Amino acid sequence: MPVITVNDAISQAIAEEMRRDPSVLMFGEGVATKRRELVAEFGAARVRNTPLAEGIIAGTAVGAAASGLRPIVDLLFAPFLCFAMDEIVNSAGKLRYMSGGQFKFPMVVLAMSGAGWTVGAQHNHNVEAWFVHSPGLKVVMPSSAADFKGLLKAAIRDDNPVLFFMDLALGYQSGEVPAGEHLVPLGRAATLREGRDVTLVSYAKTVHYCVAAAETLAGQGISAEVIDLRSLKPLDEAAILASARRTGRVVVVHEASRLCGVGAEVAALVAEHAFDALQAPVRRLTGPDTPAPSSWPLEQAFVPQADAIVAAARELVGARAYA
Amino acid sequence: MQHSEQAPSPLALLETMMLIRAYEEALVGIAAGGNAPGTCTSVGQEAAAAGVVRALTPRDRILTNHRSAGHLLARGADPGRMIAEVLGKRTGYCKGKSGSLHISAAELGAVLTSTIVGGELSLAPGVALARTMTPGDDGIVATFFGDGAACEGVFHESLNLAVVWKLPILYVCENNEWQAFVHRRETMPMVHVRDWAAAHGLVAETVDGNDAEAVHAAAARLAARIRATGEPAFLETLTYRTRGHYEPDDQFYVDPAELAAWQARDPIELLANRLRADGRLDDARLAQIRARVAAVIDEAVAFANASPYPETAELFTDVYA
């Protein structure tokens, strides 16, 4: 299987879908500047630079999507989505419903976030849960090159608005990506590692910390299952509940802050529907309720790391503190 | 549909305006009875809607806002389905899920109605972009908004993108002097929004927004220019919102002298008097039109009242495609 970076997986997905469907186009600040190969292959009409104005970039995507095109817009850093909230939340998410189904909005919004570049809180803010809370949207946040490619292709083909969040730390990570057509359906979690004693549920970069934690735990005789949610909306509730029932213990891990985050939804889901199977309370390991700091050690401290995941899992299974 | 690229007869413009007025007065009555929430009328602004919309072709698209009744009716919308929508009935244009504030009618080319002030301005460039990328499509996009929306940041973003990308959009600013409960003079340094549009590089004109024939002529000229050049243009119709922001609203904040001055220039009276003066309209003809319009509205109200509410299961439909 070819090994490519996440950034290359994203580029492949976009090029393949533009080749397949002439209604796919891409625009945003610097899109034509940075993606010259797309301009060369598909022309300036389908690959466009825009003014640095997120509201009109997103609104133009919404209008175009309702009019027969399939726009992909790059809004760069997730905090910039604040300038595009009306267009994404009030228009893309609601106008299908409010019109009684007269319009559909096949569009993808790309945005980066997360620790790793020390860019500070106005470029690094994991806001994905805001959009999970808004009706009519879908939300995706992958962790591997294969999923970046497969989920982005599926998002472009989806007839609904998809927020596609890219963890800043993952862009240059490499991974195996199946050759040829590779699609990953939205709304389906992946079980990266099977286990009996505890379930580690995560998405984006902290999935990798969960996998590392699971390896450490295995050395200590604790069998951890790792679930990568991949899609946050639709959420693969069946996969979460099945694993919770299997292991009886759940740790939810994400970089976004705890209050009303995706972890709260996972915990509530398990409490409502698998309470009888639980042998310990659900634990959440998340970023704190602070803006993301820039300084490297502070930024790393913001993110739940593998050792904290190991400690939480050990606590749930009742193991003594590891000496 | 009644509209065509040929100039509508002045009598047709008059009847369209009278239909809009009768429709909105019926809604005012329904709202006064406490049976319809959130109705925003455009009483006094009918010339702007009738004049511009009747200058468009069936291939064109319109985007409108919370004061949409005039645009939709001028476009040929069924007043029965509109009132049904206002009342939340299943037979409404949006199955009762919109209410009065955001009625879209894709079958009439009235797309993506948004009640977020400025929302339509954010969506129009995308609709226009799709038209430029469809070979053989010479349709233009007319988007309606007010002086309030012109104070939103996205107004400037929209105009700027339309100029830079050469998008076929007719921006129609109905400057009605009121931005919800605030007079335009409190929020803008100048009288005309046109100045902002011109600064963005658009061909920008103002017109007496209470003169339906003048509005129609200006809109037709600008629409032809957009079709020929592919570039956006801006038309500001100078008019006045003679009723409150929504129904009911006692307008305690309105200067009575200003209101009276604009009411004396009522767009329907203005056109009717002109037509009467040059012998194109007499009392009998006017009474005939009035009766016809009243019958249409009576029938529309009856249809809406008799229509069923949506099934509760409709709560969950149309969220995703």
Side-chain angles (χ1 to χ4, degrees), chain A residues 141 143 147 188-192 202-204 207 226-230:
Chain A
M141 197 159 182
S143 70
D147 284 350
R188 202 85 53 83
T191 302
L192 299 187
S202 190
Y203 60 91
V207 165
V226 178
I227 294 190
D228 180 355
L229 292 174
R230 306 194 290 192

Side-chain angles (χ1 to χ4, degrees), chain A residues 48-51 53 55-56 59-60 62-64 67 69 86-87 90 95-100 102-103 136-137 160 233, chain B residues 93-95 97-98 102 104-106 111-113 116 122-123 125-127 129-130 157-158 161 165 315 317-318 320-321:
Chain A
R48 293 166 177 253
N49 279 335
T50 62
I56 202 63
T60 299
V62 178
S67 310
L69 299 180
D86 172 55
E87 291 76 7
N90 287 320
L95 284 179
R96 174 172 179 77
Y97 188 86
M98 293 172 67
S99 67
Q102 295 182 60
F103 312 106
L137 305 175
N160 299 287
K233 192 175 193 178
Chain B
Y93 272 103
C94 308
K95 304 183 192 171
K97 290 178 175 175
S98 159
H102 357 67
S104 293
V111 300
L112 303 178
T113 307
I116 302 291
S122 74
L123 304 170
V127 178
L129 175 66
E157 295 184 25
S158 181
L161 189 71
W165 281 11
L315 175 61
T317 63
D318 303 319
Y320 291 103

Side-chain angles (χ1 to χ4, degrees), chain B residues 7-37:
Chain B
S9 75
L11 282 173
L13 281 178
L14 181 68
E15 183 161 347
T16 298
M17 290 196 291
M18 289 171 67
L19 179 70
I20 297 166
R21 178 72 56 90
Y23 172 90
E24 295 200 315
E25 284 178 344
L27 279 196
V28 167
I30 292 169
N35 291 325

Side-chain angles (χ1 to χ4, degrees), chain A:
Chain A
M1 231 185 288
V3 173
I4 61 173
T5 65
V6 163
N7 285 338
D8 287 342
I10 292 167
S11 297
Q12 282 186 7
I14 294 167
E16 286 177 17
E17 292 307 302
M18 290 188 74
R19 213 167 282 140
R20 175 181 172 269
D21 182 349
S23 68
V24 178
L25 73 165
M26 183 170 185
F27 49 91
E29 208 282 330
V31 162
T33 308
K34 289 180 276 187
R35 297 187 178 277
R36 300 182 74 85
E37 72 292 347
L38 291 183
V39 181
E41 182 172 355
F42 303 108
R46 289 177 66 195
V47 187
R48 293 166 177 253
N49 279 335
T50 62
L52 231 171
E54 291 78 10
I56 202 63
I57 296 169
T60 299
V62 178
S67 310
L69 299 180
R70 286 184 177 272
I72 305 163
V73 291
D74 188 353
L75 294 187
L76 302 176
F77 293 91
F80 304 173
L81 291 169
C82 292
F83 266 136
M85 289 305 269
D86 172 55
E87 291 76 7
I88 295 170
V89 173
N90 287 320
S91 294
K94 297 180 187 171
L95 284 179
R96 174 172 179 77
Y97 188 86
M98 293 172 67
S99 67
Q102 295 182 60
F103 312 106
K104 60 180 182 177
F105 300 96
M107 55 182 278
V108 178
V109 177
L110 302 176
M112 295 183 280
S113 186
W117 284 9
T118 66
V119 286
Q122 290 182 346
H123 286 71
N124 170 17
H125 183 177
N126 285 63
V127 298
E128 57 274 6
W130 296 356
F131 300 93
V132 175
H133 201 67
S134 291
L137 305 175
K138 296 187 177 184
V139 182
V140 173
M141 197 159 182
S143 70
S144 70
D147 284 350
F148 267 93
K149 180 169 182 184
L151 281 165
L152 182 51
K153 284 168 67 80
I156 294 167
R157 293 186 196 186
D158 200 284
D159 277 340
N160 299 287
V162 181
L163 277 291
F164 195 97
F165 287 102
M166 305 180 292
D167 192 318
L168 266 176
L170 302 178
Y172 296 96
Q173 283 200 7
S174 295
E176 288 188 337
V177 176
E181 187 84 321
H182 172 59
L183 287 161
V184 175
L186 273 60
R188 202 85 53 83
T191 302
L192 299 187
R193 185 183 174 107
E194 294 188 346
R196 298 178 311 276
D197 301 325
V198 61
T199 301
L200 310 177
V201 180
S202 190
Y203 60 91
K205 76 156 70 67
T206 47
V207 165
H208 300 283
Y209 302 166
C210 287
V211 169
E215 279 163 19
T216 303
L217 288 165
Q220 300 170 7
I222 295 171
S223 166
E225 184 146 295
V226 178
I227 294 190
D228 180 355
L229 292 174
R230 306 194 290 192
S231 293
L232 307 181
K233 192 175 193 178
L235 188 65
D236 192 344
E237 299 186 352
I240 295 165
L241 291 173
S243 181
R245 289 190 174 284
R246 227 170 6 250
T247 65
R249 301 176 187 89
V250 177
V251 182
V252 199
V253 186
H254 56 62
E255 184 173 343
S257 56
R258 192 184 76 241
L259 286 164
C260 296
V262 170
E265 184 58 34
V266 171
L269 178 76
V270 172
E272 281 182 331
H273 300 291
F275 188 74
D276 55 322
L278 286 180
Q279 299 178 50
V282 177
R283 281 290 311 275
R284 284 177 289 164
L285 294 177
T286 67
D289 186 23
T290 70
S294 172
S295 168
W296 176 261
L298 293 182
E299 194 188 48
Q300 290 304 301
F302 186 98
V303 185
Q305 303 288 338
D307 52 357
I309 301 168
V310 169
R314 287 178 58 82
E315 195 185 311
L316 292 195
V317 299
R320 283 167 182 277
Y322 186 60

Side-chain angles (χ1 to χ4, degrees), chain B residues 252-269:
Chain B
F252 69 89
Y253 50 89
V254 173
D255 173 3
E258 183 179 83
L259 177 59
W262 279 95
Q263 282 172 329
R265 297 197 67 253
D266 181 273
I268 295 174
E269 294 294 314

